[in-house]
Amino acid sequence: MYSKGVVMVEKELRVSKIKDGTVIDHITAGYALAVLRIIGLTGREGNIISILMNVPSQKLGRKDIVKVENRELREDEVHKIALIAPNATINIIRSYEVVEKNKVKLPKVIKGVIKCANSTCITNGGEPVQPTFIVENVEPLRLRCHYCKRIMTREDVIDQF
Ligand code: CTP
Ligand code: ZN
């Protein structure tokens, strides 16, 4: 019985808990590598990074998880993650404990984070005009350019990350 129990535990173990850093959980399945690109991590920085892809999730069916040791996220990074993974939760870990848990949230208006996909848009014309989008829908993502009214989808956004 005892050894059977141990085997059961090993079956459940996917990656270790982290000591200090950030766990980005409930990422849309298949988008973990995009999240790493957003944070600008290549793996050559030296800190431990764990990536789980397509793991079963009660809420989402399948999900990705990214665990990064010794790194916290900036607000602009969280906004970018929200664009591709609207259900993601950002957990801050200190001394193995989750000290903060926040669901990503998109602001109603997104300024200066992504470019308009319309090459003739005034925001792409070298004018000092910040690209600005109104979030019309989160899932599926629909952003409308404030200037040229072009609709941007998740695919248009992911191309930029
Ligand atoms: N985690 C970790 N290292 C720690 C603490 C937590 O890697 N020291 C991970 C957990 O494995 C989990 C995530 O951080 O993927 C959130 O942890 P926790 O809040 O304990 O899990 P849940 O309650 O399942 O989270 P939620 O309610 O957000 O689904
Ligand atoms: Zn535009």
Side-chain angles (χ1 to χ4, degrees):
M1 277 312 278
Y2 176 72
S3 64
K4 205 173 176 187
V6 170
V7 171
M8 288 285 285
V9 168
E10 285 190 345
K11 269 189 181 165
E12 288 300 317
L13 183 64
R14 292 192 200 274
V15 297
S16 342
K17 298 215 163 216
I18 64 172
K19 182 166 185 282
D20 293 292
T22 305
V23 175
I24 309 160
D25 198 355
H26 307 292
I27 301 169
T28 315
Y31 285 83
L33 298 179
V35 166
L36 283 179
R37 275 202 304 279
I38 288 169
I39 314 172
L41 286 175
T42 62
R44 294 185 289 278
E45 294 78 12
N47 46 342
I48 298 175
I49 303 170
S50 308
I51 305 162
L52 293 98
M53 297 184 79
N54 300 316
V55 296
S57 155
Q58 301 247 306
K59 283 183 235 168
L60 304 173
R62 304 249 155 209
K63 67 172 180 180
D64 288 2
I65 308 174
V66 170
K67 303 188 181 194
V68 186
E69 300 222 11
N70 301 316
R71 173 77 148 75
E72 296 196 1
L73 303 184
R74 296 191 312 265
E75 195 182 33
D76 63 303
E77 293 171 331
V78 174
H79 285 163
K80 286 184 183 174
I81 293 169
L83 285 168
I84 57 157
N87 299 305
T89 43
I90 314 279
N91 299 277
I92 314 265
I93 314 293
R94 294 208 184 106
S95 303
Y96 291 103
E97 297 294 322
V98 178
V99 294
E100 207 181 309
K101 182 191 290 283
N102 291 302
K103 198 170 182 304
V104 297
K105 198 173 180 297
L106 270 183
K108 286 204 167 61
V109 177
I110 297 171
K111 249 189 170 117
V113 176
I114 46 165
K115 291 186 300 186
C116 183
N118 171 10
S119 59
T120 65
C121 179
I122 185 166
T123 59
N124 287 318
E127 305 282 339
V129 183
Q130 272 211 324
T132 304
F133 298 90
I134 316 301
V135 179
E136 289 194 346
N137 198 47
V138 174
E139 186 92 84
L141 187 69
R142 240 176 94 88
L143 308 176
R144 187 180 292 278
C145 175
H146 173 65
Y147 295 98
C148 72
K149 310 301 175 200
R150 163 80 169 246
I151 292 287
M152 301 265 290
T153 64
R154 181 154 293 134
E155 291 314 304
D156 296 319
V157 171
I158 196 96
D159 281 350
Q160 301 186 22
F161 296 150

